[in-house]
Amino acid sequence: MDFHAALTNILNPPVLFFFLGMGVVFFKSDLRITEGVSKFLSLYLLFSIGFKGGHELFKSPFAEEHLLTLIACMFMACFVPIYSYFIFRAKLDHANSAALAGSFGSISAVTFVTAGAFLHSYGYEYQGFIVAGMALMESPAIVLAVILDRLGKKKNHENINEKIHWKQLLHEAFFSSSVYILIGALIVGYLSGESGWNTTKPFTEDIFKGLLTFFLLDKGIDAAKQMRELKKVGFFLVGSALLIMVINVVIAILLTKIIQMPIGDALMFVVLCASASYIAVPAAMKESIPEANPSIYLTVALSIVFPINIIIGIPLYFYILKVITGAN
């Protein structure tokens, strides 16, 4: 592994502020970030990457490689929750297994933007199609998680007559705030073209890293709070989470090789596959699978998967992809 890249990533201001946020909890500081500010920062990041993705789509002609990339995104979004569900079922009930499977099947937008900032620092960029792929990957896992939970109940003869409220579920999956703002900004960025980008660039790009840094401070606080639950999560879940991350990264790297993605797109795709949702999926699971314990799926996604990806995962994936592609 390129230890210079790893060190550069750790010393990147957003990552350092993530550690600073963890210190708020460990050192019992009275620093607090309100829920409204946290929500604004989350929506801002989704808006910015969606708008930038739309602008990149405007500049880039559609090619076979882009279609294959979108198909790969959909494949992983459907495959990951199904196989990971059966891994978790070795020790957990169907409700918690389904919620965890949904979390791993979906994606973390913040991990994505952190990887984008890492790429930019090395002079690489990613295309708009990978942002469209990210939008495609957010929702299928939510639907599949609920289906897996209901199938588990049916097998165990629990609430066998319970119906899936498809209208509510699909609305939550495809029109939640994160999905809506991401896809909406993508469309607006594409339709407004170069003039729209020039108008919004001071907001969508110039201050982006500063607000990302502040958001990771907030996520560091949340991650440290959830780490108190690690003892309850147990060795099995830690090991299972790491195993699923490794499997997803290996499959994703193989797909980037088959499709021959450029290294920027390849890294972003691998990061999406290695991440786990701690915003969209938990919000949906509270309504659709209330029996699942939030301290389990939130802790795994936010205190295990997320820190591993932003601290060592991103530079490690980048190094592997550079070796495979022969990029400088």
Side-chain angles (χ1 to χ4, degrees):
M1 180 178 173
D2 186 344
F3 289 101
H4 174 71
L7 182 62
T8 301
N9 185 59
I10 292 173
L11 296 179
N12 205 11
V15 178
L16 287 175
F17 268 82
F18 177 79
F19 289 124
L20 192 67
M22 296 180 74
V24 169
V25 176
F26 297 149
F27 300 120
K28 300 180 180 179
S29 170
D30 62 353
L31 174 63
R32 298 290 182 269
I33 296 175
T34 64
E35 184 178 348
V37 172
S38 180
K39 183 68 174 179
F40 164 75
L41 292 170
S42 175
L43 291 176
Y44 166 79
L45 294 176
L46 290 166
F47 160 76
S48 294
I49 58 178
F51 198 91
K52 181 179 179 181
H55 175 245
E56 292 297 323
L57 284 174
F58 175 79
K59 295 194 303 181
S60 306
F62 190 81
E64 181 183 0
E65 169 209 317
H66 301 138
L67 176 61
L68 293 175
T69 298
L70 296 180
I71 292 172
C73 289
M74 284 298 296
F75 167 75
M76 291 299 287
C78 296
F79 175 67
V80 173
I82 293 172
Y83 92 79
S84 59
Y85 171 79
F86 291 102
I87 291 177
F88 292 125
R89 281 294 282 139
K91 292 282 186 180
L92 299 177
D93 58 47
H94 55 78
N96 284 303
S97 297
L100 277 164
S103 183
F104 275 92
S106 189
I107 54 90
S108 164
V110 182
T111 310
F112 181 91
V113 298
T114 307
F118 174 87
L119 264 181
H120 186 73
S121 69
Y122 278 85
Y124 294 94
E125 296 293 340
Y126 58 88
Q127 299 180 76
F129 287 92
I130 203 67
V131 178
M134 180 177 71
L136 288 174
M137 293 177 78
E138 180 115 45
S139 301
I142 295 173
V143 177
L144 284 170
V146 176
I147 292 173
L148 288 167
D149 173 62
R150 298 303 189 273
L151 289 175
K153 285 181 176 178
K154 186 175 181 180
K155 185 177 180 180
N156 294 336
H157 306 288
E158 302 173 22
N159 299 319
I160 197 165
N161 294 321
E162 183 177 348
K163 295 181 179 180
I164 300 176
H165 300 287
W166 286 108
K167 184 177 180 180
Q168 179 183 344
L169 176 62
L170 293 175
H171 187 274
E172 179 67 31
F174 294 100
F175 293 98
S176 63
S177 59
S178 58
V179 177
Y180 189 81
I181 193 69
L182 180 66
I183 296 177
L186 185 80
I187 294 171
V188 172
Y190 176 77
L191 293 177
S192 59
E194 202 65 36
S195 62
W197 173 251
N198 292 333
T199 301
T200 61
K201 186 178 178 181
F203 182 67
T204 54
E205 184 165 281
D206 294 350
I207 66 170
F208 178 84
K209 195 166 185 177
L211 291 182
L212 170 62
T213 300
F214 202 75
F215 187 67
L216 283 180
L217 171 70
D218 180 40
K219 291 301 106 184
I221 296 172
D222 290 344
K225 287 178 180 177
Q226 288 298 136
M227 281 182 178
R228 296 170 180 170
E229 303 291 330
L230 282 177
K231 291 181 180 179
K232 299 178 184 178
V233 166
F235 177 78
F236 168 75
L237 281 177
V238 174
S240 297
L242 294 176
L243 174 64
I244 291 169
M245 287 180 71
V246 170
I247 293 172
N248 291 351
V249 167
V250 170
I251 295 174
I253 289 174
L254 288 174
L255 288 172
T256 66
K257 183 68 174 175
I258 293 169
I259 299 172
Q260 296 185 326
M261 295 183 196
I263 190 167
D265 291 357
L267 177 66
M268 303 307 280
F269 175 70
V270 173
V271 165
L272 286 174
C273 295
S275 67
S277 171
Y278 56 82
I279 297 176
V281 171
M285 294 304 100
K286 286 180 183 178
E287 297 293 329
S288 301
I289 313 180
E291 304 90 346
N293 185 353
S295 68
I296 293 178
Y297 54 79
L298 265 177
T299 301
V300 170
L302 189 53
S303 295
I304 299 174
V305 180
F306 180 64
I308 289 175
N309 272 321
I310 68 165
I311 296 168
I312 62 171
I314 292 170
L316 177 60
Y317 312 149
F318 182 65
Y319 172 74
I320 294 172
L321 289 168
K322 281 183 70 177
V323 171
I324 290 175
T325 62
N328 296 321

